[in-house]
Amino acid sequence: MNYRVIKNNDVFLLTDHHGDIRGADPQGGLYMKDTRFLSKLELSLNGKRPLLLSSAADENYLARIRLTNEHEEEEGVVKLWRESVELVRERFVYGEVLYETISATNFSTKDLAFDLDIAVDADFSDMFLIRGFQPAEALGKITARSFGKEGWHAVYDGVDGVRRETRVTWDIEPDEVFDQGNIRYGIRLKPKEAKRITLKVIPSIDGNLPAIYPKDEALSELKRIYADWGEQSTKVETDSLVLGRLYERGMQDLRVLLTDFGQGLFPVAGLPWFAVPFGRDSLIAALQMLPLYPTVAKGTLEIMAAHQGMEINPWKDEQPGKIMHEMRSGELARSSQVPFAPYYGSIDSTPLFIMLAAEYAHWTGDMDTVACLLPNIERALEWIDRYGDRDGDGWVEYYQESSKGIANQGWKDSADSVIHKNGEFAHAPVALVEVQGYVFQAKQRLAPIVAKLGKEEMAKRLTVEAAILKSKFDEAFWMEKDRFYAIALDGDKRQVQSVTSNPGHLLMSGIVEPERAREVARRLVAPDMFGGYGIRTMSNESTGYNPMSYHDGSVWPHDNSLAFLGMGRMGFKEEAATVISGLLSAAEKFEYNRLPELFCGYDDSIGYPVSYPVACSPQAWAAGTSVMMIQTILGLKPDALEGTIVLDPFLPDGIDRLIVRDLPVASGRISVALRRKGDGGELTVEILSNDSGCDIKIGGKSVATNRD
């Protein structure tokens, strides 16, 4: 990625590799609640930009950037010898405050004198403006700026009635302050001497200042939070260097993307542009995180329930019972210039909400949470039947009503993502193939849960409805010529006959019969769909294929994760291993072994995966892919309600050892070791510990538990 980003809770900082927010960069900044509270942060030495030595943000919450000076001469006299000054910028966010320490060290053999300039500013731009939205109405204005040797302050009064402020303070008084937000330190250093200046950037809304801590205390507490996360999470040991690194990276990325909006930890979609509550993205990320931290699913369900649709509101694509798509809190959303406070234009968030609730209950046995959420679940089911299927044909379909909403309302939400063989875009209402699978899975998995809650009639109804959906599904979506499922039915009930990755999601749902499922699995790893680094979103033989596109030939790791999870569940281990191995090969080539939101769909003959230019990184459901790899390799199928855990493991080529410790399931944790000796050697499975309260079965047989 060509930027550096750090985040803590609801605040994130986006800079270039030098650590600067520059006027030439229209997107860098310090953001909170969809507003840029700092639009300039530039460091210069003797009026020149320092040279970059290294730039790292591998810890997500802490960035270190190392710089040095260029050579300076004036009329043959050396003013500053090259590389004689080391500048280190260390920054982190804690308690909604950005802390930055700039350390200057003299590595020359002589006394040095130079000027260190820091320039700051704030424009309070709304996230939608930064992403290119052109407002039709007036916006607020900056009403005050003040500056002096003690600090800098700016105030913005928005048309939404909210006052937003930014304060910048420093621990060492500068020598000069000039030009509103430009400060200068005259640095004098003896050989090997160092000086440190710490800045604090404090955003606030309506005068609510965050708590401000001493820098060392704040950093210590932040490190403790991340250490606790690592200690409490599932641990993985493996002889596969890339799998180990990918998992550790995914675990760290997921933690930094967690935000507490009042209902517990919740995964925002991704950085930099989607650090907000999402429906589909957050629900899928929480589903992926069940083997890592199932409590996140509970927080996700509760925030979705708290913002469930209450009325018919075409401006927001809202109907009663519908689960939101995206919730923004900036000036444009709060003043209703965009319909995102929240916006409901997602066809899959509602069935995914029910599905996550059901999977969470089967994973944890937490019936109390599901019982509390049951009114919301029932309203979501009613939305599926009433508003999701307006024409009563049995398919859940989307239709955009908001003039500033989203046209394609599945996960492939770009305008050209649902395309016929003749190149025409499908017109609404559109019934996406994977959404029908989500609905089936939601109803089928929910039925035994509500039965245990004493709602026998509801359980019977859900079982019957799921069976009816399954019985008619193939006739509507199966493409006999392609031996594959269509991506969708259009507004005329015609199949949209592109071969895409969407049917891969069906494999985890149970809606597809085994023989057809096998054909789907095989096609997903055939050369037209699988280029060596993952399953493409569209076959390279389809009309709309474009390897550089957002959804018509690119590779999305989360999309692959849902497919390989289903492959593993249905016993297609070879195909699952192929996809996992491809993603590992891709991860090996990306910075920090981090899988981005997506990458281009070229095959592996190039020798490396081709980056997509504006992919989010880190991104929640891309990070969750590594966790789902572990679940799939273990063949882990928990049923906490019945007190059983099934393992049906395999090891992809190149992995001969996988030890998973402290995996949370049911009322406790399990630890499992998989080992294989030599190529094609026998796989051994050892249960190291089990205090889950469940019986573990491997190949249908109960096994004893060993202790380390």
Side-chain angles (χ1 to χ4, degrees):
M1 57 187 182
N2 58 0
Y3 55 83
R4 286 287 175 249
V5 62
I6 56 172
K7 174 186 175 293
N8 186 56
N9 207 37
D10 198 25
V11 177
F12 73 89
L13 173 70
L14 178 71
T15 72
D16 62 19
H17 282 203
H18 281 71
D20 288 335
I21 307 167
R22 295 170 64 83
D25 177 6
Q27 298 179 329
L30 181 73
Y31 292 87
M32 182 176 75
K33 297 193 182 304
D34 288 319
T35 302
R36 180 161 62 184
F37 282 83
L38 195 68
S39 56
K40 179 189 282 188
L41 178 61
E42 295 186 30
L43 181 67
S44 59
L45 192 155
N46 282 348
K48 298 179 180 180
R49 193 178 202 197
L51 303 174
L52 179 64
L53 294 174
S54 67
S55 179
D58 53 313
E59 293 177 285
N60 287 324
Y61 65 89
L62 178 69
R64 291 186 185 89
I65 296 148
R66 201 171 300 272
L67 308 157
T68 191
N69 64 289
E70 63 179 65
H71 192 72
E72 288 188 59
E73 284 190 18
E74 191 172 282
E75 296 180 353
V77 178
V78 174
K79 290 183 63 179
L80 193 62
W81 192 262
R82 64 178 180 271
E83 299 106 31
S84 56
V85 179
E86 178 198 59
L87 296 175
V88 178
R89 307 176 75 170
E90 181 180 86
R91 72 263 299 259
F92 62 91
V93 177
Y94 180 73
E96 298 182 339
V97 176
L98 169 66
Y99 297 77
E100 170 151 352
T101 296
I102 303 166
S103 303
T105 303
N106 177 2
F107 276 97
S108 78
T109 58
K110 299 180 180 180
D111 291 357
L112 292 182
F114 55 89
D115 289 334
L116 196 65
D117 289 281
I118 304 168
V120 299
D121 200 2
D123 63 4
F124 300 96
S125 289
D126 187 282
M127 182 68 77
F128 280 95
L129 296 179
I130 291 164
R131 293 172 57 198
F133 179 82
Q134 299 296 320
E137 303 172 29
L139 297 175
K141 61 179 69 175
I142 294 173
T143 54
R145 271 197 178 96
S146 60
F147 60 99
K149 290 192 174 183
E150 71 286 349
W152 181 89
H153 180 215
V155 179
Y156 180 87
D157 289 318
V159 295
D160 57 348
V162 173
R163 170 166 285 200
R164 298 169 173 88
E165 300 178 62
T166 301
R167 291 172 173 82
V168 182
T169 64
W170 33 80
D171 63 343
I172 298 176
E173 185 176 291
D175 294 284
E176 295 181 78
V177 179
F178 53 94
D179 291 337
Q180 291 202 18
N182 293 277
I183 64 173
R184 173 169 293 169
Y185 290 92
I187 305 294
R188 304 292 183 270
L189 295 175
K190 295 182 180 300
K192 303 301 184 283
E193 184 183 4
K195 278 190 178 179
R196 292 175 178 81
I197 303 161
T198 295
L199 307 179
K200 295 175 184 175
V201 184
I202 307 152
S204 64
I205 293 176
D206 284 339
N208 297 314
L209 284 170
I212 303 170
Y213 301 91
K215 177 232 174 182
D216 290 343
E217 181 182 330
L219 182 56
S220 177
E221 180 62 16
L222 192 60
K223 288 182 175 180
R224 183 197 63 77
I225 290 170
Y226 277 82
D228 287 351
W229 167 258
E231 181 62 31
Q232 295 166 14
S233 299
T234 305
K235 300 158 192 66
V236 168
E237 303 167 26
T238 176
D239 61 338
S240 169
L241 192 61
V242 65
L243 175 59
R245 287 177 174 172
L246 176 63
Y247 178 78
E248 289 298 319
R249 171 55 45 202
M251 188 174 69
Q252 290 184 42
D253 286 352
L254 287 166
R255 179 59 187 88
V256 81
L257 291 168
L258 293 179
T259 302
D260 190 344
F261 293 99
Q263 285 84 14
L265 292 175
F266 174 94
V268 298
L271 297 176
W273 309 126
F274 301 104
V276 295
F278 264 74
R280 169 197 313 121
D281 301 52
S282 299
L283 288 161
I284 289 177
L287 180 72
Q288 293 172 317
M289 290 180 70
L290 286 174
L292 178 68
Y293 213 84
T295 306
V296 168
K298 180 179 178 181
T300 303
L301 290 165
E302 288 176 350
I303 196 170
M304 295 300 166
H307 296 281
Q308 190 170 23
M310 299 297 292
E311 62 182 7
I312 296 176
N313 185 339
W315 168 243
K316 300 200 298 183
D317 277 324
E318 178 185 5
Q319 297 98 33
K322 196 175 187 181
I323 300 300
M324 70 170 176
H325 168 63
E326 180 180 356
M327 184 165 65
R328 296 283 180 173
S329 55
E331 181 181 13
L332 288 171
R334 289 176 53 86
S335 61
S336 297
Q337 295 187 56
V338 293
F340 283 81
Y343 175 63
Y344 292 85
S346 165
I347 194 60
D348 44 10
S349 293
T350 308
L352 284 169
F353 169 75
I354 303 166
M355 192 174 100
L356 178 62
E359 296 298 339
Y360 170 75
H362 285 287
W363 195 282
T364 65
D366 180 3
M367 297 291 284
D368 291 342
T369 293
V370 178
C372 290
L373 290 169
L374 197 55
N376 304 94
I377 292 170
E378 290 182 297
R379 287 198 292 272
L381 286 165
E382 183 179 354
W383 178 87
I384 286 173
D385 294 336
R386 182 175 180 183
Y387 298 101
D389 181 18
R390 300 189 197 189
D391 59 6
D393 67 348
W395 309 122
V396 175
E397 303 152 327
Y398 63 79
Y399 186 86
Q400 176 192 353
E401 293 181 291
S402 175
S403 60
K404 292 185 179 178
I406 298 171
N408 282 330
Q409 297 185 355
W411 83 263
K412 293 179 179 177
D413 55 4
S414 53
D416 61 349
S417 63
V418 187
I419 185 169
H420 284 283
K421 277 187 174 181
N422 63 5
E424 293 179 3
F425 298 156
H427 66 274
V430 173
L432 289 168
V433 66
E434 75 275 16
V435 172
Q436 318 315 314
Y438 300 157
V439 172
F440 174 84
Q441 184 172 348
K443 291 184 175 183
Q444 185 189 55
R445 296 286 280 171
L446 183 63
I449 297 169
V450 297
K452 286 184 177 292
L453 292 173
K455 291 186 168 286
E456 293 289 348
E457 288 302 314
M458 181 180 178
K460 291 177 182 177
R461 175 173 57 82
L462 290 171
T463 301
V464 169
E465 289 173 357
I468 292 172
L469 181 59
K470 184 172 184 176
S471 68
K472 60 186 290 189
F473 178 73
D474 274 24
E475 182 179 354
F477 286 90
W478 183 252
M479 300 184 294
E480 187 61 33
K481 183 178 179 181
D482 291 284
R483 305 299 297 171
F484 201 69
Y485 290 100
I487 183 176
L489 305 179
D490 70 6
D492 297 323
K493 311 301 177 185
R494 295 182 302 155
Q495 290 181 348
V496 182
Q497 295 185 335
S498 293
V499 173
T500 66
S501 62
N502 299 54
H505 299 205
L506 301 174
L507 300 177
M508 69 177 181
S509 71
I511 197 172
V512 181
E513 295 294 340
E515 282 308 309
R516 290 251 164 108
R518 184 176 296 280
E519 290 187 81
V520 170
R522 287 175 175 171
R523 182 62 183 273
L524 290 173
V525 296
D528 67 310
M529 287 295 291
F530 186 81
Y533 292 126
I535 302 167
R536 299 184 179 102
T537 44
M538 181 178 285
S539 165
N540 63 16
E541 297 174 355
S542 291
T543 302
Y545 172 72
N546 176 356
M548 302 173 290
S549 68
Y550 200 52
H551 289 128
D552 296 333
S554 55
V555 176
W556 287 66
H558 94 277
D559 180 35
N560 280 244
S561 78
L562 298 178
F564 67 62
L565 176 70
M567 291 171 177
R569 283 183 178 176
M570 298 205 71
F572 309 134
K573 296 179 182 179
E574 183 178 343
E575 288 81 1
T578 296
V579 180
I580 290 171
S581 295
L583 291 171
L584 291 176
S585 295
E588 202 167 14
K589 306 295 196 304
F590 285 113
E591 185 181 41
Y592 304 134
N593 294 135
R594 170 189 283 145
L595 286 170
E597 177 187 19
L598 73 154
F599 50 93
C600 293
Y602 296 101
D603 64 35
D604 56 6
S605 63
I606 295 175
Y608 53 86
V610 178
S611 298
Y612 188 81
V614 292
C616 283
S617 183
Q619 208 262 2
W621 60 15
T625 296
S626 62
V627 182
M628 205 163 265
M629 284 181 182
I630 302 304
Q631 180 184 349
T632 302
I633 291 171
L634 291 176
L636 179 59
K637 303 171 189 174
D639 191 344
L641 303 181
E642 299 300 326
T644 61
I645 298 171
V646 174
L647 296 175
D648 186 16
F650 66 92
L651 286 171
D653 289 343
I655 303 175
D656 293 320
R657 179 174 58 86
L658 177 67
I659 301 173
V660 182
R661 299 182 188 274
D662 301 326
L663 189 151
V665 62
S667 59
R669 293 175 180 267
I670 65 172
S671 296
V672 182
L674 308 182
R675 296 183 178 89
R676 178 173 56 201
K677 291 185 178 180
D679 293 339
E682 182 180 355
L683 176 66
T684 63
V685 184
E686 184 180 6
I687 309 302
L688 302 175
S689 63
N690 174 21
D691 63 5
S692 68
C694 296
D695 292 330
I696 296 180
K697 297 182 178 181
I698 302 174
K701 297 180 180 179
S702 295
V703 295
T705 301
N706 298 322
R707 300 288 177 182
D708 287 283

Tab-separated table of all heavy atoms in Angstrom, residues 551-580:
chain	number	residue	atom	x	y	z
A	551	HIS	N	-15.062	-6.106	-9.509
A	551	HIS	CA	-15.830	-7.320	-9.231
A	551	HIS	C	-15.942	-8.288	-10.401
A	551	HIS	O	-16.612	-9.308	-10.276
A	551	HIS	CB	-17.261	-6.945	-8.809
A	551	HIS	CG	-17.366	-6.321	-7.452
A	551	HIS	ND1	-18.019	-5.123	-7.222
A	551	HIS	CD2	-16.894	-6.725	-6.248
A	551	HIS	CE1	-17.961	-4.823	-5.940
A	551	HIS	NE2	-17.274	-5.772	-5.327
A	552	ASP	N	-15.341	-7.983	-11.534
A	552	ASP	CA	-15.548	-8.794	-12.737
A	552	ASP	C	-14.280	-9.513	-13.184
A	552	ASP	O	-13.961	-9.553	-14.363
A	552	ASP	CB	-16.080	-7.912	-13.880
A	552	ASP	CG	-17.446	-7.343	-13.577
A	552	ASP	OD1	-18.187	-7.982	-12.809
A	552	ASP	OD2	-17.771	-6.255	-14.087
A	553	GLY	N	-13.572	-10.113	-12.243
A	553	GLY	CA	-12.372	-10.853	-12.598
A	553	GLY	C	-11.265	-10.713	-11.577
A	553	GLY	O	-10.230	-11.389	-11.674
A	554	SER	N	-11.445	-9.844	-10.586
A	554	SER	CA	-10.486	-9.689	-9.495
A	554	SER	C	-10.596	-10.873	-8.538
A	554	SER	O	-11.449	-11.745	-8.685
A	554	SER	CB	-10.776	-8.384	-8.749
A	554	SER	OG	-12.135	-8.382	-8.320
A	555	VAL	N	-9.725	-10.898	-7.534
A	555	VAL	CA	-9.742	-11.939	-6.500
A	555	VAL	C	-9.984	-11.264	-5.153
A	555	VAL	O	-9.228	-10.359	-4.769
A	555	VAL	CB	-8.416	-12.720	-6.458
A	555	VAL	CG1	-8.418	-13.724	-5.304
A	555	VAL	CG2	-8.164	-13.430	-7.781
A	556	TRP	N	-11.029	-11.694	-4.464
A	556	TRP	CA	-11.346	-11.182	-3.128
A	556	TRP	C	-11.114	-12.300	-2.116
A	556	TRP	O	-11.779	-13.339	-2.162
A	556	TRP	CB	-12.803	-10.728	-3.060
A	556	TRP	CG	-13.091	-9.449	-3.784
A	556	TRP	CD1	-13.013	-9.237	-5.127
A	556	TRP	CD2	-13.510	-8.215	-3.197
A	556	TRP	NE1	-13.352	-7.942	-5.421
A	556	TRP	CE2	-13.675	-7.291	-4.259
A	556	TRP	CE3	-13.770	-7.795	-1.899
A	556	TRP	CZ2	-14.080	-5.972	-4.033
A	556	TRP	CZ3	-14.183	-6.486	-1.682
A	556	TRP	CH2	-14.333	-5.588	-2.739
A	557	PRO	N	-10.179	-12.123	-1.175
A	557	PRO	CA	-9.914	-13.191	-0.208
A	557	PRO	C	-11.136	-13.641	0.584
A	557	PRO	O	-11.334	-14.844	0.797
A	557	PRO	CB	-8.850	-12.565	0.706
A	557	PRO	CG	-8.093	-11.653	-0.202
A	557	PRO	CD	-9.150	-11.053	-1.085
A	558	HIS	N	-11.993	-12.708	1.006
A	558	HIS	CA	-13.148	-13.139	1.810
A	558	HIS	C	-14.096	-14.003	0.991
A	558	HIS	O	-14.685	-14.962	1.501
A	558	HIS	CB	-13.907	-11.923	2.357
A	558	HIS	CG	-15.038	-11.491	1.489
A	558	HIS	ND1	-14.865	-10.682	0.382
A	558	HIS	CD2	-16.364	-11.800	1.520
A	558	HIS	CE1	-16.034	-10.495	-0.209
A	558	HIS	NE2	-16.957	-11.146	0.455
A	559	ASP	N	-14.256	-13.671	-0.268
A	559	ASP	CA	-15.086	-14.432	-1.194
A	559	ASP	C	-14.549	-15.859	-1.289
A	559	ASP	O	-15.300	-16.851	-1.222
A	559	ASP	CB	-15.031	-13.714	-2.544
A	559	ASP	CG	-15.835	-14.371	-3.642
A	559	ASP	OD1	-16.905	-14.924	-3.351
A	559	ASP	OD2	-15.385	-14.306	-4.809
A	560	ASN	N	-13.234	-15.969	-1.404
A	560	ASN	CA	-12.570	-17.277	-1.422
A	560	ASN	C	-12.784	-18.019	-0.113
A	560	ASN	O	-12.968	-19.236	-0.094
A	560	ASN	CB	-11.069	-17.099	-1.668
A	560	ASN	CG	-10.718	-16.889	-3.125
A	560	ASN	OD1	-10.032	-17.701	-3.739
A	560	ASN	ND2	-11.187	-15.795	-3.714
A	561	SER	N	-12.761	-17.284	1.011
A	561	SER	CA	-12.871	-17.951	2.312
A	561	SER	C	-14.225	-18.621	2.487
A	561	SER	O	-14.314	-19.721	3.048
A	561	SER	CB	-12.608	-16.959	3.444
A	561	SER	OG	-13.718	-16.123	3.703
A	562	LEU	N	-15.282	-17.974	2.027
A	562	LEU	CA	-16.610	-18.582	2.141
A	562	LEU	C	-16.709	-19.804	1.232
A	562	LEU	O	-17.378	-20.790	1.579
A	562	LEU	CB	-17.684	-17.555	1.801
A	562	LEU	CG	-17.739	-16.333	2.729
A	562	LEU	CD1	-18.819	-15.362	2.274
A	562	LEU	CD2	-17.963	-16.736	4.170
A	563	ALA	N	-16.025	-19.742	0.081
A	563	ALA	CA	-16.037	-20.885	-0.832
A	563	ALA	C	-15.246	-22.054	-0.256
A	563	ALA	O	-15.727	-23.197	-0.242
A	563	ALA	CB	-15.472	-20.478	-2.191
A	564	PHE	N	-14.024	-21.808	0.240
A	564	PHE	CA	-13.242	-22.956	0.729
A	564	PHE	C	-13.802	-23.513	2.035
A	564	PHE	O	-13.641	-24.698	2.324
A	564	PHE	CB	-11.747	-22.676	0.786
A	564	PHE	CG	-11.235	-21.671	1.775
A	564	PHE	CD1	-11.381	-21.851	3.147
A	564	PHE	CD2	-10.516	-20.555	1.341
A	564	PHE	CE1	-10.864	-20.946	4.057
A	564	PHE	CE2	-9.992	-19.644	2.249
A	564	PHE	CZ	-10.169	-19.839	3.610
A	565	LEU	N	-14.484	-22.669	2.828
A	565	LEU	CA	-15.161	-23.202	4.018
A	565	LEU	C	-16.227	-24.204	3.598
A	565	LEU	O	-16.326	-25.302	4.159
A	565	LEU	CB	-15.787	-22.071	4.828
A	565	LEU	CG	-16.601	-22.523	6.052
A	565	LEU	CD1	-15.681	-23.070	7.131
A	565	LEU	CD2	-17.436	-21.371	6.603
A	566	GLY	N	-17.021	-23.827	2.582
A	566	GLY	CA	-18.052	-24.735	2.090
A	566	GLY	C	-17.480	-25.982	1.452
A	566	GLY	O	-18.019	-27.089	1.623
A	567	MET	N	-16.394	-25.829	0.716
A	567	MET	CA	-15.730	-27.002	0.132
A	567	MET	C	-15.324	-27.984	1.218
A	567	MET	O	-15.552	-29.203	1.099
A	567	MET	CB	-14.492	-26.565	-0.664
A	567	MET	CG	-14.781	-25.791	-1.927
A	567	MET	SD	-13.247	-25.094	-2.634
A	567	MET	CE	-13.877	-24.332	-4.127
A	568	GLY	N	-14.701	-27.460	2.270
A	568	GLY	CA	-14.290	-28.333	3.359
A	568	GLY	C	-15.467	-29.007	4.033
A	568	GLY	O	-15.425	-30.207	4.346
A	569	ARG	N	-16.535	-28.258	4.261
A	569	ARG	CA	-17.713	-28.819	4.919
A	569	ARG	C	-18.333	-29.952	4.120
A	569	ARG	O	-18.875	-30.906	4.686
A	569	ARG	CB	-18.756	-27.724	5.149
A	569	ARG	CG	-18.460	-26.807	6.311
A	569	ARG	CD	-19.565	-25.801	6.515
A	569	ARG	NE	-19.304	-24.945	7.667
A	569	ARG	CZ	-20.076	-23.922	8.025
A	569	ARG	NH1	-21.152	-23.618	7.299
A	569	ARG	NH2	-19.780	-23.202	9.094
A	570	MET	N	-18.265	-29.838	2.794
A	570	MET	CA	-18.901	-30.841	1.955
A	570	MET	C	-17.943	-31.960	1.561
A	570	MET	O	-18.300	-32.833	0.769
A	570	MET	CB	-19.512	-30.185	0.721
A	570	MET	CG	-20.601	-29.171	1.059
A	570	MET	SD	-21.796	-28.930	-0.271
A	570	MET	CE	-22.701	-30.470	-0.245
A	571	GLY	N	-16.732	-31.937	2.102
A	571	GLY	CA	-15.794	-33.026	1.862
A	571	GLY	C	-14.907	-32.850	0.656
A	571	GLY	O	-14.172	-33.783	0.288
A	572	PHE	N	-14.911	-31.670	0.042
A	572	PHE	CA	-14.078	-31.431	-1.135
A	572	PHE	C	-12.739	-30.838	-0.673
A	572	PHE	O	-12.412	-29.677	-0.923
A	572	PHE	CB	-14.788	-30.497	-2.112
A	572	PHE	CG	-16.191	-30.920	-2.448
A	572	PHE	CD1	-17.238	-30.005	-2.446
A	572	PHE	CD2	-16.486	-32.259	-2.739
A	572	PHE	CE1	-18.524	-30.391	-2.753
A	572	PHE	CE2	-17.784	-32.655	-3.037
A	572	PHE	CZ	-18.804	-31.723	-3.039
A	573	LYS	N	-11.974	-31.677	-0.004
A	573	LYS	CA	-10.749	-31.205	0.643
A	573	LYS	C	-9.686	-30.812	-0.371
A	573	LYS	O	-8.921	-29.867	-0.149
A	573	LYS	CB	-10.219	-32.289	1.578
A	573	LYS	CG	-11.151	-32.611	2.732
A	573	LYS	CD	-10.578	-33.714	3.608
A	573	LYS	CE	-11.526	-34.081	4.742
A	573	LYS	NZ	-10.988	-35.174	5.577
A	574	GLU	N	-9.616	-31.527	-1.471
A	574	GLU	CA	-8.599	-31.207	-2.478
A	574	GLU	C	-8.830	-29.815	-3.042
A	574	GLU	O	-7.884	-29.024	-3.202
A	574	GLU	CB	-8.635	-32.246	-3.595
A	574	GLU	CG	-7.569	-32.029	-4.648
A	574	GLU	CD	-7.596	-33.097	-5.733
A	574	GLU	OE1	-8.218	-34.170	-5.498
A	574	GLU	OE2	-7.000	-32.873	-6.795
A	575	GLU	N	-10.083	-29.498	-3.339
A	575	GLU	CA	-10.400	-28.173	-3.877
A	575	GLU	C	-10.157	-27.090	-2.819
A	575	GLU	O	-9.617	-26.018	-3.124
A	575	GLU	CB	-11.845	-28.125	-4.354
A	575	GLU	CG	-12.119	-28.917	-5.630
A	575	GLU	CD	-12.302	-30.416	-5.394
A	575	GLU	OE1	-12.242	-30.858	-4.224
A	575	GLU	OE2	-12.508	-31.145	-6.377
A	576	ALA	N	-10.555	-27.369	-1.570
A	576	ALA	CA	-10.319	-26.399	-0.497
A	576	ALA	C	-8.827	-26.141	-0.322
A	576	ALA	O	-8.388	-24.992	-0.158
A	576	ALA	CB	-10.931	-26.902	0.806
A	577	ALA	N	-8.029	-27.209	-0.366
A	577	ALA	CA	-6.584	-27.066	-0.213
A	577	ALA	C	-5.981	-26.256	-1.354
A	577	ALA	O	-5.050	-25.465	-1.154
A	577	ALA	CB	-5.929	-28.442	-0.137
A	578	THR	N	-6.525	-26.431	-2.556
A	578	THR	CA	-6.036	-25.673	-3.712
A	578	THR	C	-6.244	-24.179	-3.509
A	578	THR	O	-5.341	-23.368	-3.758
A	578	THR	CB	-6.757	-26.138	-4.991
A	578	THR	OG1	-6.429	-27.500	-5.253
A	578	THR	CG2	-6.353	-25.286	-6.189
A	579	VAL	N	-7.432	-23.804	-3.048
A	579	VAL	CA	-7.734	-22.385	-2.855
A	579	VAL	C	-6.886	-21.810	-1.728
A	579	VAL	O	-6.309	-20.720	-1.858
A	579	VAL	CB	-9.235	-22.183	-2.564
A	579	VAL	CG1	-9.536	-20.698	-2.372
A	579	VAL	CG2	-10.086	-22.735	-3.700
A	580	ILE	N	-6.783	-22.532	-0.626
A	580	ILE	CA	-5.978	-22.056	0.497
A	580	ILE	C	-4.520	-21.882	0.077
A	580	ILE	O	-3.887	-20.860	0.379
A	580	ILE	CB	-6.093	-23.027	1.688
A	580	ILE	CG1	-7.504	-22.936	2.293
A	580	ILE	CG2	-5.039	-22.731	2.750
A	580	ILE	CD1	-7.807	-24.000	3.336
